Amino acid sequence: DAGVTQSPTHLIKTRGQHVTLRCSPISGHKSVSWYQQVLGQGPQFIFQYYEKEERGRGNFPDRFSARQFPNYSSELNVNALLLGDSALYLCASSLGGSLTDTQYFGPGTRLTVL
Amino acid sequence: GNSVTQMEGPVTLSEEAFLTINCTYTATGYPSLFWYVQYPGEGLQLLLKATKADDKGSNKGFEATYRKETTSFHLEKGSVQVSDSAVYFCARLGGTSYGKLTFGQGTILTVHP
């Protein structure tokens, strides 16, 4: 069975640009969560979506937004990129029926902002 | 608030040595506890989990026991291999932060032949 997939693998942008990252969850999973992992640190929670509704939001500015589609895939959008947005962006999927369902991670998208 | 604290690394061991990586969590609510592993250039892989006190999670020779009395979830392996070299993250889910995984800072493990 396919695991969580993310695209693109790597991305280079300049300050002020906009970026869209994509995630497809494991088949049968209805919840997607996004995390930001800065080099040398643990991942930080950005958003969680379940059945196309936002269920949780971390301490990130409004430049970060996301959505979930009817097929449960998800997009993370970041506007007005800053150098500090350079990080590995991880998507995790879970069954979603319970808030404590185990989350399974994709390989991540490495974003570099110049 | 909810937090997870891991022992600081890096940890360097010889092959077949015993491994312990300490992890403690804040005792807010009744969280589920996890260990994830990250190999260079990759995402996080679930290594093991425990959902209630006294549960033992195990996988690939790694074990961790959910200790409510000491708010700990230490990772152990009796005999490490070079292929175990990676970054290990302890995490909690639930309690008062439903749906959000809270991670420790990660521990870098290097195993030499």
Side-chain angles (χ1 to χ4, degrees), chain A residues 40-62:
Chain A
Q41 298 182 18
Q44 298 292 314
F45 175 77
I46 310 176
F47 288 110
Q48 186 177 81
Y49 276 76
Y50 174 64
E51 292 281 16
K52 296 171 287 182
E53 297 291 326
E54 181 183 302
R55 191 159 68 176
R57 170 185 282 258
N59 188 25
F60 279 80
D62 291 343

Side-chain angles (χ1 to χ4, degrees), chain A residues 33 35 37 40-45 48 55-56 58 88 90 92 99-108 110, chain B residues 30 32 34 36 38 41-46 49 51 89 93-95 97-106:
Chain A
S33 302
Y35 293 81
Q37 186 181 19
Q41 298 182 18
Q44 298 292 314
F45 175 77
Q48 186 177 81
R55 191 159 68 176
L88 181 67
L90 295 164
L99 288 165
T100 56
D101 284 336
T102 299
Q103 296 181 22
Y104 298 89
F105 285 81
R110 173 75 62 188
Chain B
Y30 301 95
S32 295
F34 303 83
Y36 286 88
Q38 187 172 35
E42 298 185 9
L44 274 66
Q45 296 181 22
L46 176 66
K49 68 177 183 180
T51 58
F89 291 95
L93 178 66
S97 298
Y98 287 110
K100 166 189 167 184
L101 272 166
T102 300
F103 288 87
Q105 68 269 37

Side-chain angles (χ1 to χ4, degrees), chain B residues 81-103:
Chain B
Q81 305 300 312
V82 172
S83 58
D84 293 327
S85 298
V87 183
Y88 292 81
F89 291 95
C90 183
R92 60 171 287 161
L93 178 66
T96 59
S97 298
Y98 287 110
K100 166 189 167 184
L101 272 166
T102 300
F103 288 87

Side-chain angles (χ1 to χ4, degrees), chain A residues 23-74:
Chain A
C23 171
S24 292
I26 293 169
S27 177
H29 286 194
K30 297 182 178 181
S31 180
V32 169
S33 302
W34 288 94
Y35 293 81
Q36 181 196 64
Q37 186 181 19
V38 174
L39 194 63
Q41 298 182 18
Q44 298 292 314
F45 175 77
I46 310 176
F47 288 110
Q48 186 177 81
Y49 276 76
Y50 174 64
E51 292 281 16
K52 296 171 287 182
E53 297 291 326
E54 181 183 302
R55 191 159 68 176
R57 170 185 282 258
N59 188 25
F60 279 80
D62 291 343
R63 299 185 295 108
F64 289 77
S65 63
R67 55 180 175 167
Q68 187 177 32
F69 299 99
N71 67 353
Y72 304 110
S73 66
S74 177

